Structure formats: structure tokens, C-alpha cells
Amino acid sequence: MQVFYTGAEWQKNWLHALQSHKIIGFVPTMGALHEGHLDLIRNSKKSSDITVVSIFVNPIQFNNQEDFDKYPVLIQQDLKLLEKENVDFVFMPKLETMYPEKPSISIQFGELETILEGEFRPGHFSGVGIIVSKLFHIIRPHQAFFGQKDLQQVAVIKRLVADLSFPVEIITVPTRREEDGLALSSRNLRLNSEERAKSLILYKSLCSAKNELLEGTNWLEVRNQIQQRFEEEPLAKLEYFELVETEKFTVMNSFDSSQKASICVAAYIGNIRLIDNLPINP
């Protein structure tokens, strides 16, 4: 496994891959790796000749400075995991490499940045779009792998690739969960034991809502039931619980079984913000 820190260091390896007609798979991460990240890497290794993983905590996608400051940094642990997975290359740029100066541009994603995550995290997707664009320009992968848990982010990145004509295929990998259903997330490391137990309200609510919809219950009635469930849990504060069309990520006011739909949720458990989603008819 080779670690590099600048685009110039990667250039000769990219040229060699190009000349050898090898497929480059790319997994961008912010570190604090878990099995969900490893699923992305394993998918890359199955369909690519070379797998590149980046580790970079991107400051401009955080709209809460405290959240950025508390983001777990576990570099040595991460590198051991990546070596065990036989990753070919790891890109670990310094902050000044990615941002010699504060970016003066922003990227707008239309309605995608006004709903759900976009509404509650203003500027977040612009920050995501800028860093992903930079990473795509540096790595120049043929394929890039993203987790379904960040479903709206996947929609944003697909829009970025389409609008800016990046020659990269975006591959979505299903959400990895704990045995009790909690979606794996680096933020889970910050939950205390009580918060960890109460965090299951997200997954249980998604499953309950999915079952109700499949049985024919009206969506607005389902959502009201879930909102009531959150109001009865003192440790939980619901931000949104919405039904979306999975591919275009547009909000739906009723369930239509002829369309691919997913339920999305975001909530605070204590002071930790968690998100999750569940496809109804994948």
C-alpha cells in the first residue's frame, strides 16, 4: 500500500494505470473508517484494477464548527484497516494542499440544496461539491463508490458528475448496519451508552413507516405517527422524516408503488446528529 500526499505524487501512478488500461476505483472518505467504508473498498476491489482511498476531513462542508472540531481523527487505525484490505493507494492531503486559499466559489444544486439535509445544513452540499470536484480532478478515477446511507449526497454527486461531465461512474453501495439495525457512522463513536440505545428510534421508525406504507396507510398519517413517537422520546429531536423519489431525490407527498421511493430521517440523539434512510421498493 502506497500513501501519497499531493497530486504530483499520484501523477506517475495514474499515467502507468492509463498506459496499462487499468480501471481506477476511488473511495473518498473523511477517515474514522468502519465496516461501511470497507464495503465501499471491497466493491471497488471487485470491479476495479486499482483502488485509491482518500482520507481528508473537509472543513468547508461543515456548517457547525463544533461538529468539525469533534470529528474523530484515527489515522493510524485507519491505515492499518486499509492495509489489511489490500488497498493500493491512500491519498492523505494536508489542508493547505486542498485549500491553498479559502475557496471563493460555491456550487449550487437547485432544489437538492433546499430540502432535507440542504435545508438543515446550509452550504453543506456546496462544500461537498467542491471537495469531490477537486478529488476527481486529482485522482481521475473511472469509478467512484459512495454509501447509500448518504442518499441525498449521492444524488448531489450524480448531479455534479452529469452537469460538469466528469468521466466517472458513480456506484452506490447499500448501507451497512449493526446487528440491531443502527446504520454505521463515524458519529456513532460519540454516542454514550444511553444515547446508543435510544438511537435505534431512527431505524425502528423507518421500518415501521415502510411496513405501514406497504399495507396501504396514507403517508401523511404515517409521518404523523412517527413524529409523535419522537416527541415521546426525551433524548431524541426529529429534524425531518420525509418520503422521496429515490433517483431524482424529490419529496413525495404520497406513496406511489410504481416509483422507486425511500424514507429519509435526520434527528439529534442527545447532541449527536444522525441520518438514515430506507428504500421501500429498491
Side-chain angles (χ1 to χ4, degrees), residues 243-261:
L243 182 68
V244 301
E245 193 282 323
T246 303
E247 294 298 324
K248 295 181 180 179
F249 210 88
T250 53
V251 175
M252 302 170 69
N253 294 318
S254 61
F255 176 57
D256 181 348
S257 60
S258 68
Q259 292 181 288
K260 289 186 176 181

Side-chain angles (χ1 to χ4, degrees), residues 41 47 128 195 207 226 229 267 276:
I41 291 164
S47 61
V128 169
E195 291 166 343
C207 292
I226 298 302
R229 177 181 297 184
D276 199 355

Side-chain angles (χ1 to χ4, degrees), residues 124-154:
H124 169 67
F125 287 127
S126 177
V128 169
I130 289 172
I131 191 60
V132 170
S133 296
K134 283 175 169 281
L135 290 169
F136 282 174
H137 281 306
I138 293 169
I139 305 300
R140 286 171 282 185
H142 300 93
Q143 301 174 327
F145 298 79
F146 295 86
Q148 178 189 293
K149 186 182 79 70
D150 297 298
L151 190 62
Q152 189 171 3
Q153 176 177 274
V154 171

Side-chain angles (χ1 to χ4, degrees), residues 107-172:
I107 303 178
Q108 308 300 315
F109 291 96
E111 185 180 358
L112 273 172
E113 63 179 326
T114 67
I115 59 173
L116 282 68
E117 290 299 288
E119 177 183 355
F120 288 93
R121 302 181 69 185
H124 169 67
F125 287 127
S126 177
V128 169
I130 289 172
I131 191 60
V132 170
S133 296
K134 283 175 169 281
L135 290 169
F136 282 174
H137 281 306
I138 293 169
I139 305 300
R140 286 171 282 185
H142 300 93
Q143 301 174 327
F145 298 79
F146 295 86
Q148 178 189 293
K149 186 182 79 70
D150 297 298
L151 190 62
Q152 189 171 3
Q153 176 177 274
V154 171
V156 162
I157 291 167
K158 285 182 177 179
R159 175 51 50 199
L160 180 79
V161 166
D163 286 356
L164 297 184
S165 301
F166 280 109
V168 56
E169 178 186 6
I170 302 302
I171 298 174
T172 309

